[in-house]
Structures are given as C-alpha cells and as structure tokens.
Amino acid sequence: MTAVLWLRRDLRRRDHPALLAARDAAGDGDLVVAFVVDPRYWDGGGPVRNAWLAANLRALDDALDGNLTLLHGDPRQVVPGLASRVGASSVHVTRETTPGGARRDAAVAEALGKDDVEWVETGTPYAVGPGLVVNGSGDPYKVFTPFAKAWRRHGWPEPAATPRELPLRHARNDADATAALDAALSASDLPELPTPGEEAALRRWRAFRDDDLGDYAGSRDDPAADATSRMSPYLKLGVVHPRTLLAEVADRSGKDVETFRDELAWREFYADVLHQNPKSAWHDLKPLTGMRYDEPEDAVEAWKRGETGYPVVDAGMRQLLAEGWMHNRLRMITASFLTKDLHVWWPVGARHFLDHLCDGDLASNNHGWQWVAGTGTDASPYFRVFNPVTQGQKFDPSGEYVRRWVPELRHLSGKAAHEPWEHEDGYAHGYPKRIVDHAEERREALDRYERTRR
C-alpha cells in the first residue's frame, strides 16, 4: 500500500502522530511526504514569512534525505491528484482547526472520498486540541486564567515516538513549488532569521531550558536581556511540538516553569478562541459600538518605520524590521501606541505584524492585538493605555534595548535614552521629534471609549 502524509504546520520528524499513522498505513509499501505551496496563502504571506517557511522546508527535506515532495496549486486539486498519481489508499494530516484550514480540509477530504481514498486526521498542532478545554457546562472559556487552569487539569499525552526508519518515496517536485522556495530565500532585504530546522529548534530550546528557564519569571519582560525561549518561530510551523517542550519540564516546578507553561497556554487559548469564534480572525471579538477610528497615513508609516519619536516604540518596530521578530513586551507597547495614541483600528497593525514576523500566527497575533485594543478577551477593557515612556523606563531601565535599536540615542546614558526631549543634546544625532503628545492622545482615547458607553 501507499500512504501520503500532507504536511502543513507540522514540519518535523519527532513527536508527530500523523507521521506514525501514515507510516503504519503504508505497511510494506511506500510513504509519500508532501507539502503544497498554496498560492492563496503564499502570495499574501509576505517575504519574511515565506522565507522562514521555505528555509524550514529545505531543512526538513534534508532530514528526509531529499524525499520531501513539493507541490504547487490549490490543495483541493493537487492533493487528490497526488494520491491518484502514486496510487495512495489514504492521505494523512494533522487536524487543522483554523477557519480557512478547516474549510480547505473538508473540501480535500470530500474530493478524496470520491476516489475511495481515506482521509485520516491524527494529532493537533497544540498540546490540547482547540475545542477540548471546556467548563462544567460544556462551554468554551472566554477568559485566560480559568482556561489555563482547566488546560492544566485536562493534561496532554506523552510525546509520540520517533520512527527510526520510514519507507519514503519521492513523487517528483512541482517546478513552480521549487521556484517559489528559491525566490523566497533569495529575496532582497530579508532580516536575519533564526537557524531553520528541527535540530536547530531543539538546540535553541535546550539552551534556554538549561540556561534561562531558571530565571524566566524575573527576566522575560526585559527586552535587553534576550531571555525568552525564542521558540515561537518554530512552534508557528510545527518544527517542534509544544508537547515536546512540556514533557521536558514536566518534572520541574516553581514560578519560572509555571510562567513558561502559561506562555504556552496563551497560545493554546487564542487557538481555542479562534476555533470557537472564526469571525474574530479579523473582526472584534467584543465590538465597541460607535467607536471612531482614524486613518493617519503619515503617522502609521512613521510607526512602521520606527520613527514615532518615542524611543521604546521605535526600538520595537526597528527590531521587527531587522529580525522578523519582536519581544512580546514590545508587541504590547507598540500595539497600544497604534491603537490608543494614533486611534487606528487594530487590523492595520495586525496585518503589518503578520507581514514581518517569522512567527506570525493568526490566532495569537490577532487576538493579542485585540487584547491590547480592548476588543478581545482582555478582562480589563479599552481604558488600559500603555504610556510609552514609563513602559520603557520600567522594562528597559538601563536604556540598553533602546540604544541597541535606535543608534541616534546611543549618546544618552541610562534612562535618559527614553526621554531625549529632556536633554539639550537629545536630538543631536537626528532622532525624530514626537509625532503626537501621549497625554493628549490618552485623554482622546478615553473620551472616545466613554462615548461608546453612552
């Protein structure tokens, strides 16, 4: 028999239930492992996301000894076509729960069924699949803290075994797919991305586990320390499974480990929210009826370039452009500035992040933006407005992070880097003046919120 494993957000060999199911289905026959470059997703993916995906597909192909089959086109035609071409009796996938992914899979499964090819879903990209964590009434959780407690109580299985040998068969690459990957990897002005592949992901994880996890709760909010796991780009593509990480700290306790588990729980919570509320991908989960938003094009462009005149905001936006990644604390600060200081509706910023983040995950990114904007799952609604000066002074007290990313301010020592307007030589090296007055815009944001209440 021949079985096909169609990869999506599961680009790895270890802890891969769908891979094991496909191998078992193949028996003494062949296993074709394939990835489809779908123009609907690829063409709108942005150069950073596409380059990161292409790099990890190349790394996986190496791990499979050159046996990853690359296809191009609409999966509703391409996957059944592959199954027919190789004589497959079954197509195996990791279950997808995003709105677009679930609709796509239903259509592919229907097409395969017409040819009597079995569609098999095994496993999930999450420790606990979306929809499985519910309250006593069987309803989904709407707030993170009770979700996280129930998520821990629910638990998750041990990591799946790693197959030593696979009966791999290559089914010929599509020239358009290989060309798309080549173009993505050779695009100009790409940031310096992480090392791709499963082995690199595990090396990064174990370095964090051994060196930084012990002080995670105390240092994770310090962007200058670079003490976060940096696993989000790998989790985004399933290069490593969250269950693998949880298993490797299962015997540890204490505030640091629990804080790290909470960060994984946030990812699973947002996936669950999207699963339960598909329209929340690009619409307010909790709309503010009558809220007025602005469209200040010049100010938005200054925000995108990191030229707002607020040092910590600009540092975060410049890190995004340089690395294709941004520290989580800075994601909140920069998002608050766009939504509360510039009064811009959050999807504008969410799209910019997805274009430039190599870890740009629809559920986590867009619900994170709504959390900041006050239209999502946040228990503290719209009236939270981050002060970009005090946030910088609190989380970057030495000014090291700002000076790293804003060279125009490297002549200012310590906290002075957060308030160049307070120093005679603050603008000596061309740093831009503030594009808005935060105090005034905070009052305006709160006034707009009050009008929606009335």
Side-chain angles (χ1 to χ4, degrees), residues 2 4 6 32 34 36 69 71-91 107-115 117 119 169 171-172 174:
T2 296
V4 169
W6 175 24
V32 177
V36 180
T69 298
L71 306 173
H72 185 277
D74 186 337
R76 293 173 294 183
Q77 285 82 50
V78 170
V79 174
L82 172 66
S84 175
R85 178 155 53 95
V86 301
S89 58
S90 58
V91 171
V108 174
E110 181 180 4
L112 289 167
K114 294 177 181 178
D115 295 328
V117 178
W119 172 263
R169 169 186 169 188
R172 193 177 70 251
D174 189 311

Side-chain angles (χ1 to χ4, degrees), residues 144 261-271 364 371 377:
F144 171 72
R261 289 193 185 103
D262 271 349
E263 292 305 303
L264 292 177
W266 271 109
R267 180 175 180 269
E268 311 237 333
F269 174 58
Y270 283 146
S364 293
W371 186 93
T377 62

Side-chain angles (χ1 to χ4, degrees), residues 222-224 309-316 318-319 330 333 388-389 391-393 395-412 414-420 431:
D222 181 355
Y310 286 92
V312 76
V313 174
D314 294 341
R318 295 184 193 189
Q319 182 183 28
L330 271 299
I333 294 171
V389 178
Q391 286 282 307
Q393 292 171 336
F395 295 107
D396 182 34
S398 68
E400 180 183 346
Y401 178 77
V402 162
R403 282 188 293 276
R404 180 183 305 166
W405 293 108
V406 186
E408 306 99 301
L409 300 178
R410 286 177 183 167
H411 64 293
L412 298 177
K415 288 187 177 182
H418 293 289
E419 296 181 285
Y431 185 64

Side-chain angles (χ1 to χ4, degrees), residues 405-440:
W405 293 108
V406 186
E408 306 99 301
L409 300 178
R410 286 177 183 167
H411 64 293
L412 298 177
S413 61
K415 288 187 177 182
H418 293 289
E419 296 181 285
W421 51 86
E422 295 291 344
H423 304 276
E424 187 175 343
D425 62 344
Y427 295 104
H429 298 281
Y431 185 64
K433 299 291 181 67
R434 290 170 287 181
I435 61 174
V436 294
D437 182 288
H438 170 71
E440 291 181 5

Side-chain angles (χ1 to χ4, degrees), residues 143-158:
V143 179
F144 171 72
T145 300
F147 171 90
K149 292 179 180 177
W151 177 77
R152 281 181 168 84
R153 288 195 301 270
H154 183 283
W156 38 84
E158 290 294 314

